[in-house]
Amino acid sequence: MRLFALRDYRRLFGAQVIALFGTGLTTVALGLLAYDLAGPRAGAVLSTALTLKMLMYVAVAPLAAAYVDRLPRRTFLFLLDLVRGAVVLALPLVTEVWHVYVLIVLLQAASAAFTPTFQAVIPDIVTDEADYTRALSASQVASTMESLLSPVLAAVALAFLSFDRLFLGTSAGFLLSAALVLSTRVPDARPSGRTGARDRAAAGIRTFLRTPRLRGVLALDLVVAAAGSIVVVHTVNHVRDGLGGTQSDVARMLAASGAGTLLVALVLPRVLDRVAARTVMATGAGVLTGGTTAAVVLTATGLLGWTGTAIVWSVIGVGMALVITPTGKVLRASVARNEIPEAFAAQFSLSHLAWLVTYPVAGWLGSTAGFTVTWSVLAGLAAAGTVGALLLWPRRDGRGTPAGSASAGPPAPGVRASGTDRSTLVEAA
């Protein structure tokens, strides 16, 4: 494959894959750590930890984008990997719930700075439009492979090790990722043309708020967060307390969701060559709304057993992939090349703002009102996000090409150029 013939991309992609698997192990281990510390209150503890994570993502990502073109990006990514590795290494040593919260704040602050910087590096390394499309797909496949295989690997490891040993694997993954980043020639960012830090931090957010299709993407982020919170927050308590399962069963149920995501990730790149991004993402929103509604009905009737849970979790995984995978292409078609870091950081921050809403609902409401009531609220949020996306993102969305877009490359599939002003047109297929 021509894409992987690019030395720097190959190494950077390897760093991403290794760090992703480390993060996947942390996700499983963190849920089990919460259960070990808090028992039946594990959902509330995990929800609080994840809420803190979202606060860091919302607050730190735009600031990182504001200053990233003033820093050597390779060194910046390397140091952030080292910080994450050190923090995760300390997680097995905690004895109190508040210890978890402090370490999560440090860990996720580093991740909030790392992820948008990493995403913005890719178009500077992979300059060919076709290869860049493949790079986006490869990145999504890596993420979905992690969501599928990390829980499976965790399930195998938990048969022989205590869950706290999983954190050691995560730390090692971050250190290896740091070494690969250091061996990669990462170009420094182009100056954005904005001098004030506040202006730079807010630039990407302003772009989202004034662009119809990007406002639609924000509504779709709420759909993903509402459905995903059911899986992330409630799998531990549902499997351990509701179904009487083991630690390994928790990992296997998370793998069911990852399997749905992986299935879509393997076929979606070809679909996006023929079908507009809006159509694919709207379909994903419908799948997620249907999945959350099915979860409510099954838990209300007492029918959410092992098979039902696996099916619903898989459906949610399918819907999340349909929404998330095309987002990068829509985003890149909406901004000039030198604004890509700010736009990616804004998407990273604003998408996690949705999780900042749904995580507390899932954890705190779930621990007091039960799954049926909580999942009904989350299903309502998913439905509202779906309707909002269809209204905010018109079937025909014309917007003048931003200044400097001559260097931004051709529009993504589902985004077509037309007219003398090269305005972009996003339309349903």
Side-chain angles (χ1 to χ4, degrees), residues 223-224 226-231 257 260-261 284 287-292 295 310-322:
V223 183
V224 171
S229 293
I230 294 177
V231 174
S257 179
T261 307
V287 171
L288 290 173
T289 302
T292 54
I311 292 174
V312 170
W313 265 226
S314 298
V315 168
I316 290 175
V318 167
M320 291 178 72
L322 287 171

Side-chain angles (χ1 to χ4, degrees), residues 316-339:
I316 290 175
V318 167
M320 291 178 72
L322 287 171
V323 174
I324 293 172
T325 303
T327 299
K329 299 171 76 173
V330 174
L331 180 59
R332 186 171 185 246
S334 303
V335 299
R337 181 177 288 276
N338 65 338
E339 295 175 346

Side-chain angles (χ1 to χ4, degrees), residues 37-56:
L37 293 173
R41 293 184 57 252
V45 172
L46 184 58
S47 172
T48 301
L50 294 172
T51 299
L52 291 172
K53 170 184 175 179
M54 295 303 107
L55 281 170
M56 291 299 99

Side-chain angles (χ1 to χ4, degrees), residues 4 54 67 127 264 266 324 412:
F4 288 97
M54 295 303 107
Y67 290 98
T127 56
V264 173
L266 292 175
I324 293 172

Side-chain angles (χ1 to χ4, degrees), residues 331-418:
L331 180 59
R332 186 171 185 246
S334 303
V335 299
R337 181 177 288 276
N338 65 338
E339 295 175 346
I340 286 176
E342 296 160 356
F344 269 105
Q347 162 61 11
F348 184 76
S349 180
L350 292 172
S351 66
H352 287 91
L353 186 60
W355 292 90
L356 185 57
V357 173
T358 60
Y359 273 151
V361 170
W364 301 335
L365 186 60
S367 64
T368 57
F371 289 157
T372 301
V373 172
T374 304
W375 294 357
S376 296
V377 172
L378 292 171
L381 289 174
T386 301
V387 173
L390 294 175
L391 295 176
L392 292 169
W393 188 347
R395 289 177 63 87
R396 290 186 176 274
D397 172 23
R399 174 177 180 267
T401 304
S405 63
S407 63
V415 181
R416 302 178 179 88
S418 64

Side-chain angles (χ1 to χ4, degrees), residues 17-51:
V17 170
I18 293 168
L20 279 171
F21 275 93
T23 303
L25 292 176
T26 296
T27 301
V28 176
L30 183 60
L32 297 174
L33 175 62
Y35 190 85
D36 188 58
L37 293 173
R41 293 184 57 252
V45 172
L46 184 58
S47 172
T48 301
L50 294 172
T51 299

